[in-house]
């Protein structure tokens, strides 16, 4: 088989016994929608960069995944988003980290690659850059979801000093990172 | 974390990753997703890679670029190079997974957790989506 696109929506403690049929169907539906969005770009003769951006925007706009709308919360109750993109033809790359107001960070990463002389921008500067190049800016409240907020409260209650991995395991705990044995994104 | 690698009609690869990081993180912690070479890398001569997992391990192992380097310098296949990289993360105590695609249209999606939300589409539009091991 010749593949033209692969995607992931995060790895972790994902067990069938813990997944409702409705939730499983929702995940499959969004992953399928994301693949279709990227494939439509490729089929239309657009670039692989266009396909990657279109695909990831679908996943960022869906609250099931830990990116964009579904981002988890920091200890301070904020959503800090990171993204990167790279072009295999030119080896150009762009990234943003710790942004809080950009609706689709993958588009900001691409803008850094194509519209700045830099590779990575962080924090408030990256948010400002995204605004200046015309990307969609949202109130940080846009990223608030009940499930993620409750996840933060649970994490703080269990041990306020430890960050929680999407990907925890017993082994993780040996390294000082809390494993709550479920997945946040 | 979410990620995508695509191969267009002109034979060019691109890779991207986006994430909300870790719940309850402090101090402006940043993981591997936005670090070029760690969580995201792409080279037409080798492969496009997007990682998901315990970022600190992916940063220290420069996982995405390592896969490309193993292919470029040792002539390994995409699957072989990806397995070596993910196994190294596992041996150090990290976990997670990755997706990778090469210019020939070969793909691999290794992970060492119980599951990974993942999917692929072939040149003729056939979709495969999986969640569990």
């Amino acid at each position: 088989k010749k593949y033209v696109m692969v995607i992931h929506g995060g790895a972790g403690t994902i067990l069938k016994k813990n997944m409702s049929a409705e939730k499983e169907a929702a995940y499959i539906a969004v992953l399928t929608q994301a693949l279709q969005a990227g494939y439509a770009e490729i089929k239309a003769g657009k670039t692989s960069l266009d396909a990657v951006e279109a695909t990831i925007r679908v996943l960022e706009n869906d609250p099931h995944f830990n990116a964009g709308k579904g981002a988890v919360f920091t200890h301070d109750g904020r959503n800090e988003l990171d993204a990167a993109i790279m072009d295999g033809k030119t080896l150009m790359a762009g990234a943003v980290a710790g942004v809080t107001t950009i609706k689709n960070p993958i588009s900001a990463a691409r803008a850094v690659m194509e519209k700045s002389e830099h590779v990575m921008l962080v924090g408030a500067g990256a948010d400002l850059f995204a605004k200046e190049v015309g990307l969609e800016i949202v109130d940080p409240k846009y990223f608030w979801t009940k499930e993620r907020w409750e996840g933060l409260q649970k994490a703080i209650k269990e041990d306020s000093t430890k960050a929680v991995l999407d990907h925890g395991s017993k082994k993780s705990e040996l390294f000082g990172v809390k494993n709550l044995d479920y997945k946040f994104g | 974390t979410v990620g995508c690698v695509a191969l267009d009609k002109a034979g060019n690869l691109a890779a991207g990753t986006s994430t909300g990081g870790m719940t309850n993180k402090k101090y402006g912690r940043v993981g591997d997703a936005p670090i070029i070479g760690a969580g995201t890398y792409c080279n037409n001569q080798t492969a496009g890679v997007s990682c998901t997992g315990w970022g600190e391990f992916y940063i220290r192992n420069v996982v995405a670029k390592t896969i490309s380097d193993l292919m470029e310098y040792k002539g390994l296949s995409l699957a072989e190079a990806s397995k070596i990289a993910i196994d190294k993360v596992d041996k150090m105590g990290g976990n997670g997974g990755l997706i990778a695609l090469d210019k020939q249209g070969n793909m691999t999606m290794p992970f060492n957790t119980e599951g990974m939300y993942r999917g692929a589409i072939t040149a003729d539009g056939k979709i495969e989506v999986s969640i569990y091991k």
Side-chain angles (χ1 to χ4, degrees):
Chain A
K1 288 182 196 174
K2 181 177 176 171
Y3 290 89
V4 292
M5 207 163 68
V6 286
I7 62 171
H8 70 77
T13 311
I14 312 166
L15 297 169
K16 194 167 179 67
K17 65 179 183 181
N18 298 333
M19 181 84 78
S20 69
E22 294 76 21
K23 204 164 188 179
E24 184 180 272
Y27 275 111
I28 291 169
V30 180
L31 289 167
T32 302
Q33 188 191 341
L35 284 166
Q36 288 168 335
Y39 186 70
E41 299 288 306
I42 290 169
K43 215 168 176 201
K46 294 191 180 174
T47 67
S48 50
L49 284 168
D50 292 329
V52 166
E53 184 180 0
T55 301
I56 291 183
R57 283 175 69 101
V58 170
L59 299 170
E60 286 178 338
N61 292 344
D62 188 282
H64 287 92
F65 300 97
N66 180 18
K69 174 68 180 164
V72 298
F73 284 91
T74 67
H75 181 76
D76 299 328
R78 289 153 46 91
N79 303 103
E80 293 179 354
L81 314 172
D82 312 323
I85 196 165
M86 186 161 182
D87 182 352
K89 181 184 178 185
T90 62
L91 302 185
M92 287 179 67
V96 292
V99 298
T100 59
T101 65
I102 304 167
K103 185 179 179 188
N104 292 109
I106 192 67
S107 297
R110 186 172 180 181
V112 171
M113 178 176 76
E114 295 179 336
K115 298 177 181 177
S116 83
E117 66 268 42
H118 308 297
V119 170
M120 176 184 264
L121 299 178
V122 303
D127 280 306
L128 177 61
F129 170 80
K131 187 179 179 185
E132 287 181 354
V133 297
L135 296 181
E136 187 171 354
I137 301 300
V138 292
D139 187 301
K141 287 177 187 164
Y142 164 79
F143 300 107
W144 192 95
T145 62
K146 186 171 179 285
E147 186 179 350
R148 302 303 194 199
W149 182 253
E150 287 174 353
L152 173 64
Q153 304 317 310
K154 185 172 182 181
I156 289 173
K157 194 176 173 187
E158 294 200 5
D159 188 339
S160 68
T161 65
K162 287 183 179 174
V164 180
L165 282 168
D166 284 352
H167 322 280
S169 67
K170 285 291 172 194
K171 199 158 54 175
S172 308
E173 293 183 20
L174 299 174
F175 293 85
V177 176
K178 187 72 179 170
N179 168 40
L180 295 183
D181 201 34
Y182 55 80
K183 181 175 163 53
F184 277 169
Chain B
T1 305
V2 304
C4 175
V5 185
L7 174 64
D8 62 28
K9 286 180 177 174
N12 295 315
L13 290 162
T17 313
S18 183
T19 189
M22 297 168 80
T23 300
N24 201 29
K25 71 174 186 171
K26 295 178 183 175
Y27 314 121
R29 178 265 185 189
V30 172
D32 63 308
I35 310 293
I36 299 300
T40 308
Y41 191 73
C42 194
N43 183 339
N44 264 8
Q45 306 313 311
T46 51
V49 182
S50 172
C51 303
T52 175
W54 192 345
E56 279 71 9
F57 287 88
Y58 284 76
I59 293 170
R60 287 190 280 155
N61 282 294
V62 200
V63 168
K65 177 71 159 57
T66 293
I67 292 168
S68 175
D69 287 347
L70 285 169
M71 295 174 73
E72 182 176 357
Y73 301 140
K74 292 194 81 176
L76 299 188
S77 71
L78 180 73
E80 289 169 335
S82 299
K83 186 174 186 314
I84 287 172
I86 201 81
D87 284 351
K88 195 164 183 194
V89 167
D90 187 65
K91 276 180 197 158
M92 287 179 69
N95 51 17
L98 62 89
I99 55 167
L101 178 67
D102 69 18
K103 200 171 181 173
Q104 285 73 45
N106 301 303
M107 69 92 172
T108 187
M109 301 189 283
F111 56 96
N112 68 352
T113 50
E114 283 82 355
M116 180 168 81
Y117 298 104
R118 60 201 188 277
I121 189 163
T122 59
D124 55 0
K126 288 198 178 113
I127 286 176
E128 301 164 12
V129 173
S130 303
I131 297 176
Y132 312 106
K133 202 174 264 182

